[in-house]
């Protein structure tokens, strides 16, 4: 019998590729850059399984050119790059990689919070530029983390992991989610708050919401205007939950003190973006889940999703 074909749109860690190679004919797009859209469109008709990245747009146009496609395994927990509704209409299963990257992404979110509060990137640049001539009583002053208030917007797995980190650093933690989470409040010392309360009371705000029609542009001028002038905004969710122009304005005019961004809109961020010229903004290239161990586990999960679907079984990590 002819082997089923699986396409992987980037070189993911070997473990996942090896698992797939045991059973299928696997093709990997090995370039450093994402596969050009037209090449993906021209290839996809041959494949029964697709492992794709959050940077690949998997939409109606693509699925309509994929008569053999049975499964789309996103190599990410977020799946806003996939038209899940259309996939379900076509009978194509969709999978993601939940859980495994929770703590790793929260680590990065908290690193951004610490780096922005204590101006670590500015300090590193200062030393590298040979400007460190003496100890300075007013040199590179930042904001305390301990004793401050952290507002977490989105209180799923990653939001709760961020809250635990905040509590460990002696912060008061407020959270907002569509509905209060009494079980989380029982497990840790956190308080439910409305969005307005989060905006007006937090010294740090960290975003952990999915990108969808209602969250798109949630952090806009109106929201930013309600924030404290010492507030530092952290985003490891998706770039488009923040209105970029409004954020630039808030940072330029010191309406808020700073931002730490793992995700941007657009992504990647254009090299001439004003955000990159601001001292009070740290931008890293969407590395929330980028630890060796986590990325390797994610490759196995994506492979397991493909294997299950191509064997006619329920996906272990299915998006519905
Ligand atoms: C995901 O997997 O959706 C995250 O954005 C990775 O950082």
């Amino acid at each position: 019998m002819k082997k089923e074909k699986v396409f992987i749109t980037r070189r993911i860690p070997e473990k996942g590729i090896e698992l797939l190679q045991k059973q299928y004919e696997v093709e990997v797009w090995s370039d450093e850059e994402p596969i050009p859209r037209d090449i993906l469109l021209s290839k996809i008709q041959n494949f029964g399984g697709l492992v794709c990245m959050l940077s690949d747009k998997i939409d109606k146009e693509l699925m309509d050119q994929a008569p053999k496609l049975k499964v789309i395994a996103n190599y990410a927990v977020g799946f806003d790059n996939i038209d899940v509704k259309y996939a379900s209409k076509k009978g194509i299963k969709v999978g993601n990689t939940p859980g495994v990257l929770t703590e790793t992404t929260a680590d990065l979110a908290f690193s951004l919070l610490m780096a922005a509060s204590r101006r670590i990137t500015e300090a590193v640049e200062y030393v590298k530029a040979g400007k460190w001539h003496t100890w300075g009583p007013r040199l590179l002053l930042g904001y305390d983390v301990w004793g401050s208030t952290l507002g977490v917007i989105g209180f799923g797995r990653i939001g709760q992991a961020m809250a635990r980190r905040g509590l460990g650093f002696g912060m008061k933690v407020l959270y907002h989610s569509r509905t209060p989470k009494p079980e989380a409040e029982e497990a840790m010392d956190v308080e439910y708050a409305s969005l307005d309360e989060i905006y007006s009371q937090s010294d740090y705000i960290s975003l952990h919401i999915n990108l969808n029609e209602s969250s798109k542009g949630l952090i806009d001028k109106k929201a930013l205007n309600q924030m404290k002038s010492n507030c530092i905004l952290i985003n490891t969710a998706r770039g488009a939950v923040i209105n970029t122009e409004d954020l630039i304005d808030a940072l330029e005019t010191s309406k808020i003190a700073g931002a730490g961004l793992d995700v941007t809109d657009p992504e990647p961020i254009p090299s001439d973006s004003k955000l990159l010229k601001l001292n009070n903004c740290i931008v890293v290239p969407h590395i929330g889940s980028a630890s060796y161990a986590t990325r390797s586990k994610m490759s196995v999960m994506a492979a397991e999703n493909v294997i299950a679907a191509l064997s006619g079984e329920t996906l272990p990590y299915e998006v519905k």
Side-chain angles (χ1 to χ4, degrees), residues 9-265:
T9 65
R10 296 294 277 283
R11 183 151 283 283
I12 60 173
E14 285 311 312
K15 267 197 172 174
I17 300 179
E18 281 164 14
L19 264 182
L20 291 168
Q21 280 170 334
K22 280 190 190 148
Q23 310 193 36
Y24 312 115
E25 200 180 310
V26 178
E27 186 176 332
V28 181
W29 181 260
S30 289
D31 272 28
E32 271 308 305
E33 296 294 320
I35 182 167
R37 171 91 180 160
D38 55 330
I39 300 183
L40 182 58
L41 285 177
S42 69
K43 276 181 166 294
I44 196 66
Q45 59 186 342
N46 302 317
F47 294 90
L50 173 68
V51 177
C52 57
M53 310 299 120
L54 48 83
S55 46
D56 302 316
K57 197 169 165 60
I58 310 299
D59 56 4
K60 180 173 184 298
E61 184 191 20
L62 184 136
M63 288 184 243
D64 282 346
Q65 297 191 38
K68 296 182 183 158
L69 196 60
K70 295 191 187 80
V71 58
I72 300 163
N74 215 30
Y75 184 67
V77 65
F79 48 83
D80 49 282
N81 57 312
I82 302 171
D83 186 342
V84 177
K85 248 195 199 156
Y86 194 69
S88 140
K89 211 165 142 191
K90 302 266 299 182
I92 302 170
K93 302 277 183 213
V94 178
N96 67 343
T97 60
V100 68
L101 48 73
T102 300
E103 302 296 334
T104 305
T105 306
D107 277 349
L108 195 269
F110 211 80
S111 309
L112 286 171
L113 185 154
M114 297 289 282
S117 67
R118 297 301 300 273
R119 303 173 62 185
I120 299 299
T121 51
E122 280 177 83
V124 169
E125 289 308 320
Y126 181 89
V127 175
K128 280 191 177 167
K131 293 182 184 167
W132 187 16
H133 303 306
T134 180
W135 181 85
R138 291 167 65 153
L139 178 63
L140 287 161
L141 303 186
Y143 295 92
D144 281 326
V145 169
W146 72 275
S148 65
T149 298
L150 169 65
V152 179
I153 300 180
F155 214 53
R157 283 179 291 252
I158 304 176
Q160 292 185 29
M162 182 66 172
R164 284 196 296 277
R165 282 157 180 74
L167 292 169
F169 274 77
M171 301 172 96
K172 173 179 172 179
V173 178
L174 305 175
Y175 77 94
H176 181 81
S177 57
R178 266 172 301 185
T179 50
K181 304 221 164 161
E183 65 303 338
E185 286 178 39
E186 238 163 70
M188 58 183 144
D189 189 12
V190 294
E191 221 176 275
Y192 180 82
S194 68
L195 279 176
D196 288 348
E197 286 166 337
I198 296 262
Y199 297 150
S200 62
Q201 294 175 25
S202 304
D203 301 302
Y204 299 90
I205 294 178
S206 191
L207 305 174
H208 300 283
I209 42 181
N210 290 333
L211 175 63
N212 51 44
E213 277 318 306
S214 59
S215 66
K216 196 167 179 200
L218 176 78
I219 305 298
D220 59 3
K221 203 181 182 77
K222 189 164 168 258
L224 289 156
N225 278 340
Q226 291 179 70
M227 293 178 194
K228 292 163 76 169
S229 58
N230 65 297
C231 184
I232 290 176
L233 179 65
I234 306 299
N235 191 8
T236 53
R238 286 293 180 266
V241 301
I242 298 179
N243 179 310
T244 303
E245 287 309 311
D246 292 351
L247 176 64
I248 291 170
D249 180 60
L251 291 169
E252 273 180 342
T253 57
S254 301
K255 268 190 200 121
I256 64 168
L261 310 175
D262 181 41
V263 289
T264 58
D265 179 32

